[in-house]
Amino acid sequence: MDGLLLTDELVLLAYDDNGVNRLGRPHLDYGLAGAVLLELALAGRVEVADKRVVVTDPAPTGVPLLDEALAAVGSGRARKPQDWIGRLAKGLLDRVLDGLVDAGVLRRQSDRVLLVFPRTRYPSPTGAEPAVETAARERMAAALTGDGPVDARTAALLTLTRAVGLDRKIFRELPKERVKARIDEIAAGDWASAAAKKAIEETQAALVVATTAGTAAIITTAVS
């Protein structure tokens, strides 16, 4: 598998130029777990049957992050997408960030807020938006402003950003209703196999449930 994974692109889109996560947690964690399931579905390794994620092809993808998830899904009893989102999310953000740092796309910068509270940021080495992030944004924007067919990976990335609520942060300059309508149109398009699309739709629905529950838990903690 060549190029960036959906997990890489989601992290780059979620972090601002100062290296701060603007999507927040656990939303990004859940989104990354969903991205892993989407990658496996697009690669023809998993699908959803009877509301459970099942392995249809155990052949390794050659990407350790995906192959570990594939092995996990293939072991033990079949589980719902929402169950896997919670399980796969653990430690995933740190792994993706480490990979982007190792690749030289981002750098790790540790400091303290008010000289007391430790903080780690992940800006690009140049301080400007990484070229690969710009390419992802341009690809997505072209899909949203156009009306033609969209490739599978761009379609999956767009539906993923919608599921975790990142679409409005990325495309503030585009009319909200236009973005919503176009993503709905893209999601309904013929850009993946029926099995892959079903798995992606189930994963999206699970992401919405997980992120909504995560938001509710944050609010409850804040007011208690």
Side-chain angles (χ1 to χ4, degrees):
M1 217 175 256
D2 299 322
L4 294 182
L5 297 176
L6 293 174
T7 49
D8 298 321
E9 292 183 317
L10 186 62
V11 165
L12 291 174
L13 292 167
Y15 274 72
D16 63 21
D17 289 345
N18 290 319
V20 177
N21 176 7
R22 59 180 174 169
L23 181 59
R25 306 183 74 172
H27 291 63
L28 182 53
D29 303 79
Y30 293 153
L32 291 174
V36 169
L37 292 177
L38 263 59
E39 286 279 13
L40 292 175
L42 288 174
R45 299 307 198 271
V46 303
E47 62 182 46
V48 175
D50 297 324
K51 301 293 184 180
R52 301 294 196 275
V53 181
V54 296
V55 174
T56 54
D57 181 357
T61 65
V63 180
L65 189 70
L66 301 184
D67 291 338
E68 290 172 22
L70 182 61
V73 173
S75 64
R77 65 184 179 87
R79 301 177 185 275
K80 296 180 180 180
Q82 187 175 346
D83 295 330
W84 280 117
I85 285 172
R87 288 169 178 267
L88 296 175
K90 297 173 183 177
L92 190 51
L93 177 57
D94 288 337
R95 288 193 63 181
V96 176
L97 286 168
D98 287 346
L100 289 169
V101 170
D102 290 344
V105 178
L106 298 178
R107 63 186 174 89
R108 186 179 290 106
Q109 180 177 318
S110 298
D111 57 16
R112 291 181 180 273
V113 179
L114 300 177
L115 303 178
V116 176
F117 305 103
R119 174 181 64 175
T120 302
R121 294 185 292 143
Y122 292 87
S124 75
T126 64
E129 181 175 283
V132 287
E133 179 184 347
T134 301
R137 287 178 180 275
E138 290 177 348
R139 199 173 80 239
M140 297 166 73
L144 289 176
T145 56
D147 56 9
V150 177
D151 69 274
R153 297 190 66 78
T154 300
L157 184 58
L158 281 167
T159 56
L160 182 63
T161 57
R162 156 76 73 80
V164 297
L166 186 58
D167 54 328
R168 290 311 305 155
K169 296 179 184 297
I170 301 173
F171 304 110
R172 292 183 183 276
E173 73 284 1
L174 296 178
K176 181 178 180 180
E177 291 307 314
R178 166 64 182 175
V179 171
K180 180 181 184 303
R182 180 58 175 153
I183 293 181
D184 287 342
E185 181 182 351
I186 290 170
D190 185 20
W191 48 270
S193 69
K197 283 195 67 176
K198 181 180 179 183
I200 289 168
E201 289 168 0
E202 294 281 354
T203 299
Q204 287 176 283
L207 274 173
V208 171
V209 172
T211 54
T212 300
T215 300
I218 292 171
I219 294 173
T220 299
T221 301
V223 300
S224 61

